[in-house]
Amino acid sequence: MAPRTWLITGVSSGFGRELTTQLLERGDRVVGTVRDTSKVTDLLERHPGTFHVKVLDVTDADAVRSVVDAAFAEQGRIDVVVSNAGYGLFGAAEEMSDAQVDRLIAANLTGSIQLIRAALPHLRAQGGGRVVQISSYGGQVAYPGNSLYHATKWGIEGFVESVAQEVAPFGIGMTIVEPGGARTEFRYGSAQVADLTEVYDGNPAHAFLAMLDPANGLAPGDPARMAARIIDSVDIEPAPLRIVLGSQALAGTLATLRARVADFETQTELAASTDFPPGE
């Protein structure tokens, strides 16, 4: 298979770092974005000519467009765009500051939307390509103490599901990746916590505190295996709209969706009661 060229946001750690490492080792080219280039010095030294780094804060929409335009201009063609940059924010909804809320939405939701919007004209012009949006099974399932993170993931999944239908006729495939818990810095390093208050002590909103402590057990997901499955997904035609990574994530997603469908199915008469009667 001919080497591909990838544009990946947030390659200094986590899935972005793992994807980049595996792709470079198999001979693909990667344009990776970071906020601090010192985090990828080793990759630059090991892969001169095939790894290119761009400094980018995805909350800056103008910068997102400039970086995407420059990457396509410099590489000539980019086969796969991976929207990966993001982080978690934990705490009860009212414990988060306005600044924390705005920053999370800008990074996880608006930043991803702007990245994809910036890439689509280039993908159309080159006759197609693939977009991979790193989401979470938290884009289908919601837990207390994680409301804003869920809001961003549910939001980006709706955006991608809609846009995927718009751009399929141009040969552009889009895939939402929904990983479960993994042993990355998301849980054990980069996760942010709101200014917690005693009123929520013992409340489900603070149950995440146990999850963030590695002493209570590590996440089951292997980032290397998850990254490999993400890379494999690009070879699937047509592009799968969603892939769930992790047995716990799939079980949780199925249980939630089955309960949701069962609830909807009890609402047949209620839903019909708001229609105009036949003939009106």
Side-chain angles (χ1 to χ4, degrees):
M1 180 180 298
R4 290 189 173 103
T5 302
W6 300 61
L7 170 61
I8 306 174
T9 60
V11 302
S12 63
S13 65
F15 291 126
R17 172 78 181 210
E18 192 62 47
L19 285 167
T20 299
T21 300
Q22 293 188 25
L23 291 167
L24 292 172
E25 288 177 352
R26 77 175 196 173
D28 283 6
R29 295 177 292 273
V30 176
V31 180
T33 78
V34 296
R35 289 186 296 168
D36 178 0
T37 58
S38 69
K39 301 287 186 63
V40 292
T41 301
D42 59 324
L43 292 177
L44 287 167
E45 292 175 349
R46 289 204 304 271
H47 303 283
T50 55
F51 178 55
H52 306 273
V53 65
K54 301 283 187 186
V55 175
L56 176 65
D57 180 344
V58 296
T59 66
D60 183 339
D62 290 337
V64 168
R65 192 166 297 278
S66 295
V67 164
V68 170
D69 290 347
F72 274 89
E74 292 165 5
Q75 300 300 317
R77 176 185 177 87
I78 290 177
D79 302 291
V80 187
V81 176
V82 182
S83 175
N84 168 71
Y87 64 95
L89 172 62
F90 295 91
E94 62 175 308
E95 293 175 324
M96 301 171 193
S97 70
D98 290 348
Q100 286 177 317
V101 170
D102 291 344
R103 176 75 182 173
L104 188 72
I105 291 173
N108 288 14
L109 179 57
T110 312
S112 294
I113 289 172
Q114 296 295 14
L115 175 75
I116 292 169
R117 279 167 32 83
L120 288 180
H122 297 286
L123 295 174
R124 277 194 299 104
Q126 68 184 23
R130 189 67 65 93
V131 176
V132 176
Q133 173 64 53
I134 305 299
S135 179
S136 161
Y137 87 112
Q140 296 288 328
V141 179
Y143 295 102
N146 213 5
S147 57
L148 260 296
Y149 179 76
H150 289 308
T152 62
K153 293 305 183 185
W154 287 48
I156 195 59
E157 292 210 10
F159 174 81
V160 172
E161 188 166 333
S162 174
V163 175
Q165 299 168 67
E166 299 172 1
V167 301
F170 301 115
I172 302 171
M174 301 185 74
T175 296
I176 300 166
V177 179
E178 298 172 332
R183 298 178 192 181
T184 67
E185 290 189 11
F186 175 87
R187 180 178 294 194
Y188 304 117
S190 65
Q192 297 187 11
V193 177
D195 186 9
L196 304 185
T197 58
E198 292 182 356
V199 70
Y200 279 97
D201 286 349
N203 184 288
H206 284 184
F208 71 89
L209 291 171
M211 181 194 73
L212 295 183
D213 185 353
N216 293 317
L218 297 175
D222 178 351
R225 289 183 170 87
M226 289 177 162
R229 298 294 85 74
I230 294 169
I231 293 169
D232 292 344
S233 75
V234 174
D235 292 324
I236 301 172
E237 295 288 352
L241 180 59
R242 285 184 172 83
I243 57 173
V244 181
L245 301 178
S247 55
Q248 288 185 352
L250 182 59
T253 300
L254 288 172
T256 296
L257 294 181
R258 285 168 179 150
R260 191 174 302 156
V261 169
D263 181 52
F264 284 150
E265 288 178 339
T266 68
Q267 300 180 35
T268 303
E269 291 185 10
L270 171 65
S273 71
T274 59
D275 295 345
F276 283 110
E280 289 190 14

